[in-house]
Amino acid sequence: MFIVIEGCDGSGKGEQIRRLKSWLEREHVDFVFARDPGATPLGEKIRSVLLNSSDLDICPTAETALFMASRAQLVHDVLAPALNKGLVVITDRYLLSTVIYQGYAVGASDDGIEEMWRIGTCFANHVVPDVTFVLECPFEVAEERLGRRSVKDRMESKDEIYRRKVAEGYLAASELWSSSAHGRIVGIDGTRSPENIAREIEAIVKSMFT
Ligand code: TYD
C-alpha cells in the first residue's frame, strides 16, 4: 500500500507524518518512509539545489523537471522495491505537489495540468499512490504557523500571491483531481486538533488494510 501525505507549507503535514509513523509502529506494520524530493543520494542533491540555492536562477520548466527527476530516482531506488516486497510505503509529498506548486499555482490551464499529471506519472514509472491525504488548510492559518519558523527555504520564500494559490490548490485538490488515474485523493480538514486529524487518517488506513 502506498500512502502520500500532502499539504501546503504550514499545513501540519510534518506532525501528521510523525503520528502516522508511530501509529504504524505500534500496530507492528512494516513500512518504508521517504520524503519527496529527496531520500536518495541524487534526490538529496536535487533537493538541496531546489530548496537551498536562493542565488540560483531556475526557470519554471527546469524546476519541474528537477522535481520529477528526484522522484524518478526515488521510485527506482526506494518505492518500487519496497512495494514489490509488499511493504507499506509512506511519502512526504509526491506528484500532487508538482501539479500544485509547478502547475496550478503558476496558473497552468486545465489541459496543462492534465499533461503534467500524465508526464509526472510516466516519470514516476506509473507508481500511483493508493491514497493521498491532503491536509486542507486555509492560507491564513498556514501562514500563521509558518511565520513562527525563522528560516524559510527557496519555495517558502516565493511571493504571497503564489503561496495563496498553493493553499487554494490544496483546498480544491480532492474535487479537482478525483479520477482514478491520479490515485484516490482524500481531503482532511487540517484546522482541527492534530489528535483528531490523526484519528481520521488512521481510521481510513485501517479500513484499507482489511
Ligand atoms: P517539504 O519537504 O514539505 O519542506 P519542509 O522541509 O519545509 O517541510 O517540501 C519541500 C518544498 O518543495 C515545499 O515547499 C514544496 C516543494 N515542492 C514542489 O514545489 N514541487 C514538488 O514536486 C515537491 C515534491 C515539492
Side-chain angles (χ1 to χ4, degrees), residues 9 13 23 34 71 73 78 104 129 133 161 184 199 202:
D9 297 285
K13 178 173 62 64
W23 176 71
R71 191 171 309 118
Q73 196 71 37
V78 182
Y104 185 90
F133 291 108
I161 296 171
R184 180 180 170 206
R199 290 259 165 76
E202 286 161 19

Side-chain angles (χ1 to χ4, degrees), residues 173-194:
S174 63
E175 272 189 29
L176 285 179
W177 303 297
S178 53
S179 97
S180 58
H182 309 138
R184 180 180 170 206
I185 298 179
V186 177
I188 304 278
D189 178 356
T191 61
R192 291 169 309 146
S193 75

Side-chain angles (χ1 to χ4, degrees), residues 6-7 9 13 35-37 47 51 63 67-68 71 92-99 101-102 149 153 155-156 162:
E6 283 272 4
D9 297 285
K13 178 173 62 64
R35 63 176 181 179
D36 179 8
R47 181 183 176 93
L51 303 186
E63 183 177 291
F67 278 113
M68 289 193 186
R71 191 171 309 118
D92 178 347
R93 301 192 179 281
Y94 199 63
L95 178 53
L96 180 61
S97 283
T98 310
V99 168
Y101 282 83
Q102 281 70 49
R149 284 195 215 163
D153 64 38
M155 295 304 295
E156 289 165 348
Y162 180 80

